[in-house]
Amino acid sequence: MTENQPSVKDIILKRREQQSTPGARSDRYRVALVVEGGGMRGVVSAGMVSALENLNLRDSFDVVYGCSAGAISGAYFVAGQSRYGTTIFYENINNDQFINFKRAFFGRPVLSLEYLLDHVCKHLKILDVDKIIDGDIPLKIIATSVTDGQGTLLDRFANEIELFDSMRASARIPVVAGPPVKVRNKLCLDGALTEAVPYHSALRDGCTHVLALLTRPQGVYRKKPGVVDSVLFAPMLSRYGSALVNTYMSRDVTYLNEIKELYAMVGDGKENAVGVVQLSDKNLVVSSLEKSRARLVKGAAEGFKAVYRFFCDADPEVVELLSVYDRTGKFAPPLTRS
């Protein structure tokens, strides 16, 4: 690339203007959307993809990469259901059915991904799986291999089971969210252990431009491992080998380097291959185990606004509102006067 290349923002907006669609581009670029997760903090990037959907920018992307909760939000984005999926955080899983610390006393996971994926995503806020498996925008999910502690890319899902197992593996925070998940004969855990913001995967795949959606505000990074990590979690993970333990205990350094490198690719005089959408206020941190509906709605709204600031240079007021999502595809006709 050269300095004469357009920025990711310019390409995305021009594609919308030209009504360009995936697989039928008039330009030579490959633009990736990269979505960070982080448990309940993923509500921020969920708000961001909702804004992209609201701005009619879905078709401007060629591929979507997601990690952990970001993989789930990425799935709803590919399916054209982002605003629908965002409500899951503050309507369906901010409760004891998903987050329950009492389960830890009985040796059970604090987070129930089974409740989220097998109940909420399949029966309450139904994910349109067909639009992902047979859709026009590939979804690529990041997980971490238990065997060698390295990142692994899961895509080209054969069926619903493989898709949901991939999302489950990517969000399987060690110990807290349950045991490793087997996907294609490989045991996997939380993708954030190795690539919380999977732009490396996008660039390795040949993407020329990346838009990264981050869930932590600027200047806020992953905390260093604490006593609980050292005396409880690390020994429990050691049954899978030292490679995974090393990956787990160094994840704060991995994340810091990831963000620094990401921002090094952004700015005037650079190739502008990367655009970053991130909250600026450090006080807007959402906990990965947040259950407060008000704080979750606030996180989604701030993520939504951040996208508008990036693309529109505007700071809109965002309110929570009701919208219709029809699972049957048979909307009632409008009322008419006789």
Side-chain angles (χ1 to χ4, degrees), residues 185-290:
N185 295 316
K186 181 183 292 187
L187 282 177
C188 297
L189 281 169
D190 182 22
L193 293 175
T194 49
E195 198 178 6
V197 187
Y199 65 92
H200 281 128
S201 290
L203 296 176
R204 282 194 297 266
D205 275 354
C207 293
T208 60
H209 293 74
V210 173
L211 180 67
L213 309 181
L214 307 189
T215 57
R216 290 181 173 89
Q218 293 177 19
V220 177
Y221 304 102
R222 188 189 291 276
K223 295 181 180 179
K224 295 181 179 180
V227 175
V228 174
D229 294 300
S230 300
V231 304
L232 180 61
F233 291 172
M236 293 178 71
L237 291 173
S238 65
R239 73 184 71 172
Y240 302 110
S242 59
L244 183 61
V245 174
N246 292 336
T247 296
Y248 179 79
M249 295 301 291
S250 62
R251 66 198 189 284
D252 61 314
V253 176
T254 300
Y255 184 80
L256 178 62
N257 292 336
E258 199 170 66
I259 300 303
K260 286 183 175 180
E261 182 180 334
L262 182 66
Y263 267 102
M265 290 187 279
V266 179
D268 294 337
K270 303 292 177 64
E271 294 178 342
N272 289 320
V274 171
V276 179
V277 180
Q278 190 173 20
L279 305 184
S280 58
D281 188 344
K282 291 184 179 181
N283 295 318
L284 294 175
V285 176
V286 178
S287 167
S288 60
L289 298 174
E290 185 60 71

Side-chain angles (χ1 to χ4, degrees), residues 76-98:
Y76 277 91
F77 179 74
V78 169
Q81 301 172 288
S82 288
R83 285 166 287 184
Y84 184 54
T86 298
T87 64
I88 289 173
F89 287 92
Y90 48 82
E91 290 187 350
N92 303 106
I93 61 174
N94 57 324
N95 51 48
D96 288 344
Q97 291 171 292
F98 180 59

Side-chain angles (χ1 to χ4, degrees), residues 65 140-143 151-155 184 186 195 198 201 205:
Y65 296 79
K140 304 199 175 193
I141 295 175
I142 310 301
T152 185
L153 198 62
L154 306 171
D155 61 353
R184 298 171 184 166
K186 181 183 292 187
E195 198 178 6
S201 290
D205 275 354

